Amino acid sequence: MKIFCVGRNYGEHAKELKNEIPEEPVIFMKPKNALLQPNTPFYYPEFSNELHYELEIILHVSKNGRYIPGKHADKYVNEISVGIDFTARDIQNELKKKGLPWEKAKAFDNSAVAGTWKPLKDGALEKPMQFYLLLNGEKVQHGNSADMVFDFKTVISHISQYFSLNIGDMIFTGTPAGVGECSVGDRLEGFFENEKLFDIEVK
Ligand code: ZN
């Protein structure tokens, strides 16, 4: 199982971190151990002093494929949810400054939270979808999939030009503006179309 992630896929988020809007999808990966298992506590990583939440719409791959054309890309995913791409922003900033890979900041154990999966209906990926994150009960991120720089089908197709997609893989499709720090004791609740799909506490 692989976890693909898209960086800088919402213009307002790219701007808040002073990054340029990319000309093609920015892709990075997290290993299997990055996925927080159900009923497992999330612990603040000891190597970071600036842990950020990034709420993202996530897709579940249901069919193996490579070189997938954009127009058929929705046939390769069957479920959707929201999740968190936890990021050690202090580590990432250091690595970015040196032009080094991001894995220590992005791919550490339990850095990927996936909410409850919902079935995807035909054509659903083309409609705008709303999602939001509550931090201790206060709305801190609110996204609309229509604001993506690269839409879902383009992202799936692009990834498949470089990597095989396999059943069980996940795709984190990018975070909207409003990312920020979280601390021990914080509660994070992720909503997709007004339905709560995850609820975690930082330990
Ligand atoms: Zn992200």
Side-chain angles (χ1 to χ4, degrees):
M1 191 275 276
K2 311 184 284 302
I3 301 171
F4 297 100
C5 304
V6 187
R8 304 171 190 171
N9 203 23
Y10 287 79
E12 292 301 314
H13 167 65
K15 275 194 227 160
E16 73 181 344
L17 294 186
K18 301 190 170 53
N19 291 312
E20 288 183 9
I21 311 256
E23 282 164 22
E24 59 174 55
V26 174
I27 305 296
F28 59 96
M29 290 163 80
K30 295 180 188 251
K32 191 176 163 192
N33 287 340
L35 186 67
L36 183 70
Q37 296 302 310
N39 306 315
T40 307
F42 174 80
Y43 291 103
Y44 196 106
E46 70 283 356
F47 48 79
S48 177
N49 290 306
E50 194 188 0
L51 179 71
H52 273 204
Y53 53 79
E54 292 189 359
L55 178 72
E56 314 204 356
I57 291 181
I58 59 177
L59 301 172
H60 178 261
V61 174
S62 54
K63 194 171 160 183
N64 297 332
R66 253 211 99 175
Y67 305 114
I68 300 165
K71 61 177 175 179
H72 300 311
D74 53 341
K75 304 280 177 265
Y76 290 78
V77 291
N78 67 339
E79 290 174 315
I80 191 163
S81 187
V82 284
I84 295 187
D85 164 21
F86 272 118
T87 304
R89 194 71 72 199
D90 48 350
I91 309 274
Q92 189 194 28
N93 287 338
E94 285 302 307
L95 294 168
K96 275 165 76 176
K97 246 187 262 168
K98 296 178 190 158
L100 294 172
W102 293 354
E103 275 86 347
K104 287 184 191 170
K106 285 280 198 184
F108 54 87
D109 280 8
N110 299 334
S111 61
V113 174
T116 307
W117 294 100
K118 310 297 288 181
L120 257 180
K121 297 186 193 88
D122 270 357
L125 288 186
E126 269 127 74
K127 298 186 189 115
M129 291 176 267
Q130 308 275 335
F131 59 112
Y132 62 92
L133 178 70
L134 299 185
L135 170 68
N136 302 323
E138 191 186 325
K139 196 184 278 190
V140 288
Q141 283 193 285
H142 188 157
N144 184 324
S145 62
D147 297 328
M148 293 168 90
V149 178
F150 301 101
D151 64 20
F152 294 114
K153 288 173 153 188
T154 303
V155 164
I156 296 165
S157 174
H158 185 83
I159 291 172
S160 78
Q161 307 307 310
Y162 298 84
F163 308 97
S164 296
L165 284 178
N166 295 112
I167 296 169
D169 289 350
M170 292 178 195
I171 305 173
F172 281 64
T173 59
T175 194
V179 300
E181 268 191 88
C182 46
S183 315
V184 172
D186 281 347
R187 184 176 181 193
L188 295 160
E189 297 164 275
F191 290 77
F192 175 74
E193 303 283 36
N194 290 319
E195 186 178 355
K196 181 153 80 173
L197 299 186
F198 69 77
D199 186 343
I200 64 160
E201 194 191 319
V202 179
K203 303 261 185 198

